Amino acid sequence: MNKPNVYFIKDIKEENLVKIFEQLNVELKGKVAVKVHSGEKGNQNFLHPEFVKSLVEKVNGTVVECNTAYGGERNTTKKHEKLMEYHGWTKYFNVDILDSDEDLELEIKNGLQIDKNFVGKKLKNYDSMLVISHFKGHPMGGFGGAIKQLSIGVASTAGKCYIHSAGKVVDQKILWQNTAPQDAFLEAMADAAKSVVDYFKGNIAYVNIMCNMSVDCDCCAKAEDPCMKDIGILSSTDPVALDQACIDLVYNSNDLGKEHLIERIESINGIHTIEASSNLKI
């Protein structure tokens, strides 16, 4: 079995996003969905649309997002679209909120925690996907990278509830009284990620950007400032290998600030998401 390739460029520039994607030597066919994180209003760390513009244009993609399952400026389509305009996404791209209408149920075969995932029905309009992820910490997952973008990121509001509760509820009004034990939640994320990979039958490519690495996610309106210096850009056709490479770069860094990010990851067993995803052979 061949080991997956992960490519790395240290210099974080817009043009290098295109170069590292080209290293993959893949063609994303048909209509391409480009999954990004729109950034919660007030967050200072998210990837801005100007930075990813050349790469989105390279694949002739449509920027896609999904609504959240918590309060803020992204939990309804109307508010989310307004925020994406405020953050400049609609200035450069066609933007599609995938769960603005109905949900699409994806089957998960041999899942660790859940046997189905809920995504926006508009996912059916796309033939392939480019997942652009800002690698950083996360208050619930330990870290956020490609696997989180595939799972929580692509899930509809109902899907996010289902993942966070490991299959108990789809209603955000009762989600926080039904959240799953930590490892079950992490395994449900892996299950959901697998469902999206299986749906596109391998027609997905991944780019992780290791910059502005706070212990907090871009979903936080008031995130902590970055604790580490920027590391670089990575790409792969394997999301598990890609996230593992990012973790390895953090642990092997000489930056003393890495201890804050490592503490966040280890305090909630964030590595288990990679372990579970590997076991599922995503």
Side-chain angles (χ1 to χ4, degrees), residues 69 103 105-108 113-119 151-152 155-172 174-176 178-180 184-189 191-192 195:
D103 280 4
E105 184 178 313
L106 302 182
E107 180 185 4
I108 302 171
Q113 292 291 333
I114 54 179
D115 59 7
K116 57 188 173 183
N117 183 29
F118 300 97
V119 300
S151 55
I152 291 292
S156 66
T157 295
K160 288 176 172 65
C161 294
Y162 203 67
I163 295 165
H164 274 287
S165 65
K168 291 181 181 178
V169 301
V170 295
D171 186 347
Q172 59 181 313
I174 59 173
L175 168 61
W176 305 114
N178 292 276
T179 52
F185 159 59
L186 299 176
E187 289 172 4
M189 276 211 297
D191 290 336
S195 75

Side-chain angles (χ1 to χ4, degrees), residues 8-278:
F8 174 77
I9 295 178
K10 183 176 181 180
D11 198 3
I12 301 177
K13 293 181 179 179
E14 181 184 354
E15 58 266 31
N16 284 345
L17 285 178
V18 175
K19 288 180 181 179
I20 204 160
F21 170 77
E22 291 175 338
Q23 286 291 313
L24 297 176
N25 195 29
V26 298
E27 179 186 359
L28 295 177
K29 299 177 181 179
K31 192 172 181 181
V32 182
V34 180
K35 179 63 180 74
V36 302
H37 194 301
S38 52
E40 186 58 68
K41 189 172 183 179
N43 186 278
Q44 75 276 32
N45 297 323
F46 73 97
L47 299 175
H48 287 247
E50 296 86 353
F51 178 62
V52 301
K53 183 174 181 291
S54 293
L55 180 54
V56 177
E57 291 175 346
K58 168 72 177 178
V59 300
N60 192 28
T62 299
V63 166
V64 302
E65 253 286 31
C66 301
N67 294 320
T68 63
Y70 52 83
E73 298 303 314
R74 300 184 300 131
N75 65 340
T76 69
T77 298
K78 185 176 180 179
K79 288 196 294 182
H80 204 165
E81 288 176 339
K82 184 177 180 180
L83 181 67
M84 293 199 83
E85 181 180 2
Y86 176 77
H87 278 167
W89 294 102
T90 57
K91 178 181 178 181
Y92 300 106
F93 314 116
N94 292 325
V95 172
D96 194 3
I97 306 298
L98 295 178
D99 61 331
S100 62
D101 191 6
E102 300 178 30
D103 280 4
L104 172 67
E105 184 178 313
L106 302 182
E107 180 185 4
I108 302 171
K109 295 181 179 179
N110 302 315
L112 300 173
Q113 292 291 333
I114 54 179
D115 59 7
K116 57 188 173 183
N117 183 29
F118 300 97
V119 300
K121 191 173 182 180
K122 289 183 179 179
L123 195 71
K124 295 176 71 174
N125 296 333
Y126 298 92
D127 304 294
S128 56
M129 177 174 278
L130 173 61
V131 179
I132 302 176
S133 305
H134 175 205
F135 186 89
K136 70 287 179 191
H138 193 279
M140 298 189 76
F143 75 93
I147 298 170
K148 177 184 174 292
Q149 273 281 58
L150 280 170
S151 55
I152 291 292
V154 177
S156 66
T157 295
K160 288 176 172 65
C161 294
Y162 203 67
I163 295 165
H164 274 287
S165 65
K168 291 181 181 178
V169 301
V170 295
D171 186 347
Q172 59 181 313
K173 293 179 181 178
I174 59 173
L175 168 61
W176 305 114
Q177 291 80 42
N178 292 276
T179 52
Q182 180 65 8
D183 280 4
F185 159 59
L186 299 176
E187 289 172 4
M189 276 211 297
D191 290 336
K194 185 178 187 299
S195 75
V196 178
V197 172
D198 290 348
Y199 177 81
F200 281 109
K201 298 179 173 62
N203 294 311
I204 312 184
Y206 309 89
V207 175
N208 279 8
I209 299 98
M210 301 184 73
C211 68
N212 298 337
M213 286 182 287
S214 166
V215 298
D216 287 330
C217 180
D218 298 341
C219 51
C220 300
K222 294 182 179 180
E224 287 195 22
D225 287 332
C227 59
M228 293 184 67
K229 293 180 180 178
D230 296 348
I231 290 179
I233 310 169
L234 297 88
S235 69
S236 184
T237 56
D238 186 314
V240 182
L242 182 60
D243 279 358
Q244 182 63 63
C246 291
I247 291 290
D248 291 344
L249 284 168
V250 169
Y251 274 78
N252 291 314
S253 170
N254 293 322
D255 191 328
L256 296 179
K258 72 179 183 181
E259 297 302 330
H260 299 289
L261 184 52
I262 290 172
E263 180 183 12
R264 170 57 57 86
I265 294 168
E266 293 183 349
S267 67
I268 46 182
N269 199 24
I271 300 299
H272 189 55
T273 306
I274 293 178
E275 296 169 343
S277 299
S278 180

